[in-house]
């Protein structure tokens, strides 16, 4: 039985990015670089991390370097409840087969770290305009091709089989303009996959931040929470001026943003949610905000489970 203190809540390590201090990719950096970044998380009271491939892509490491990563993690006193793939769509026209192979490798690596879930999504690399924007979501990005939807279902089901065989769950990250880009599309896609080891990551922060019309978060969560098995959780301000048609949004700690997570988390528990949380934040001291968000979630859980 999970308690507020035992519930798996990780920090997404994308806060550090993929560039090492020497300018190279962090996957090729000495373990001492990984250790330094892990210690920063541990010093904030964080005990669990998600080693997203936007940080150290475990699937691209040699077996020897995976073991080096494991020793570094243990020395830092950290554990891994989930592993996320970011912008690594299995139906990417150029790299989809490579990303599919990486997802399969993660299915074998994840249980050795004690992770219970692997998260994938259909979002793809940032466009040049997104990369130049102050916030990348302010520019239009990749749109999934309806012609590849059947292939996406087939490959998701294939990964679901691998997940089930290894005692894992596969989670699909909701993201705008993908096959799981709205609550209704996400549920329809999941139903077409029709696999007991596959669920949704209701990362509705990805939608709340958009400068476009959007249903109220409570309504969106009501649609997707019954299907959730993992949760990238973050918050934003959101405002709309009907006189000008202008939207504004900006990252905020869970406690202060547009989404009332005290209500949403309690509702998730009522609907039977038992998956891990993975805290994310963009801008400012993102790791520091994540540490505060973890404590906020534990307090909400303690109140809800009392």
């Amino acid at each position: 039985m999970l308690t507020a203190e035992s519930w798996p809540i990780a920090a997404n390590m994308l806060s550090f990015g993929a560039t090492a201090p020497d300018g190279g990719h962090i996957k090729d950096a000495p373990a001492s670089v990984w250790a330094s970044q892990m210690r920063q998380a541990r010093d904030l009271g964080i005990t669990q991390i998600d080693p997203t491939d936007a940080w150290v892509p475990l699937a691209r490491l040699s077996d020897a370097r995976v073991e080096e990563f494991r020793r570094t993690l243990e020395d830092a006193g950290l554990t891994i409840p989930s592993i996320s793939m970011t912008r690594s769509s299995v139906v990417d026209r150029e790299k989809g087969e490579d990303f599919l192979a990486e997802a399969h490798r993660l299915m074998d690596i994840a249980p050795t770290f004690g992770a219970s879930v692997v998260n994938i999504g259909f979002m793809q690399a940032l466009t040049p305009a997104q990369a130049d924007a102050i916030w990348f979501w302010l520019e239009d990005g990749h749109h999934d091709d309806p012609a590849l939807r059947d292939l996406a279902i087939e490959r998701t089901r294939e990964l679901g089989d691998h997940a089930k065989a290894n005692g894992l769950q596969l989670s699909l990250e909701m993201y705008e303009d993908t096959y799981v880009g709205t609550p209704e599309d996400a549920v329809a896609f999941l139903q077409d996959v029709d696999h007991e080891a596959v669920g949704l990551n209701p990362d509705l922060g990805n939608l709340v931040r958009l400068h476009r019309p959007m249903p109220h978060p409570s309504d969106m969560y009501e649609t997707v929470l019954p299907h959730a098995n993992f949760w990238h959780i973050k918050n934003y301000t959101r405002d709309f001026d009907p006189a000008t048609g202008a939207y504004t949004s900006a990252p905020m700690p869970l406690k202060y943003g547009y989404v009332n997570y005290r209500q949403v988390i309690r509702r998730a528990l009522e609907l039977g949610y038992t998956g891990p949380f993975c805290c994310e934040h963009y801008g400012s001291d993102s790791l520091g905000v994540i540490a505060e968000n973890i404590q906020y979630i534990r307090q909400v859980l303690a109140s809800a489970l009392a």
Side-chain angles (χ1 to χ4, degrees):
M1 181 72 177
L2 288 172
T3 67
E5 288 305 313
S6 66
W7 207 292
I9 309 176
N12 193 320
M13 295 292 276
L14 61 78
S15 299
F16 291 105
T19 303
D22 65 1
H25 198 288
I26 198 165
K27 72 179 176 61
D28 302 315
S32 59
V33 173
W34 303 341
S36 173
Q37 295 178 350
M38 290 180 188
R39 280 197 302 273
Q40 290 182 58
R42 195 68 184 86
D43 288 346
L44 287 166
I46 294 168
T47 60
Q48 297 179 303
I49 64 170
D50 184 314
T52 169
D53 63 355
W55 179 53
V56 178
L58 296 183
R60 299 176 201 168
L61 300 183
S62 67
D63 290 345
R65 291 231 77 191
V66 169
E67 291 309 309
E68 193 174 7
F69 185 91
R70 189 190 314 279
R71 291 192 297 272
T72 306
L73 186 80
E74 291 172 351
D75 289 346
L78 297 170
T79 59
I80 294 174
S82 63
I83 302 177
S84 296
M85 294 183 69
T86 302
R87 303 192 183 280
S88 304
S89 172
V90 297
V91 290
D92 183 298
R93 289 190 181 276
E94 295 182 4
K95 302 178 180 179
E97 291 187 0
D98 291 338
F99 292 147
L100 178 64
E102 289 182 10
H104 275 296
R105 184 150 194 260
L106 279 184
M107 293 298 173
D108 291 327
I109 291 174
T112 72
F113 282 94
S116 64
V117 61
V118 170
N119 174 82
I120 66 169
F122 299 107
M123 67 287 271
Q124 298 192 18
L126 295 177
T127 66
Q130 286 181 308
D132 288 341
I134 186 171
W135 302 117
F136 62 83
W137 54 84
L138 300 183
E139 294 288 344
D140 197 36
H142 166 79
H143 289 239
D144 273 339
D145 184 349
L148 297 179
R149 187 176 184 275
D150 287 347
L151 179 62
I153 290 169
E154 175 187 328
R155 290 183 172 177
T156 299
R157 194 177 292 133
E158 175 186 328
L159 289 170
D161 287 342
H162 196 165
K164 181 181 177 182
N166 285 2
L168 296 168
Q169 287 280 301
L170 176 68
S171 197
L172 306 178
E173 180 176 348
M174 294 183 62
Y175 196 93
E176 76 268 15
D177 304 320
T178 69
Y179 304 119
V180 289
T182 70
E184 293 74 22
D185 286 348
V187 172
F189 187 89
L190 186 68
Q191 289 172 339
D192 287 343
V193 171
D194 190 25
H195 199 293
E196 62 184 308
V198 183
L200 294 180
N201 168 3
D203 190 355
L204 297 187
N206 290 337
L207 305 184
V208 167
R209 68 193 180 192
L210 299 177
H211 289 194
R212 63 175 77 166
M214 196 64 56
H216 193 275
S218 297
D219 296 332
M220 293 194 288
Y221 274 118
E222 196 67 22
T223 299
V224 298
L225 283 177
H227 309 280
N229 62 355
F230 176 58
W231 200 342
H232 281 172
I233 190 166
K234 54 183 178 280
N235 214 348
Y236 295 82
T237 61
R238 179 177 172 85
D239 195 15
F240 172 68
D241 181 359
T244 62
Y247 289 90
T248 58
S249 63
M252 290 291 284
L254 290 182
K255 187 176 180 180
Y256 301 110
Y258 180 63
V259 180
N260 183 342
Y261 277 111
R262 186 171 300 276
Q263 290 182 356
V264 172
I265 292 172
R266 293 179 75 98
R267 180 59 177 152
L269 299 184
E270 290 173 0
L271 293 169
Y273 183 73
T274 58
F277 294 90
C278 177
C279 292
E280 298 181 328
H281 187 76
Y282 290 94
S284 64
D285 175 10
S286 56
L287 192 67
V289 173
I290 284 172
E292 293 178 356
N293 285 345
I294 290 172
Q295 294 309 309
Y296 168 79
I297 293 172
R298 293 208 187 279
Q299 191 283 319
V300 172
L301 290 172
S303 174
L305 295 172

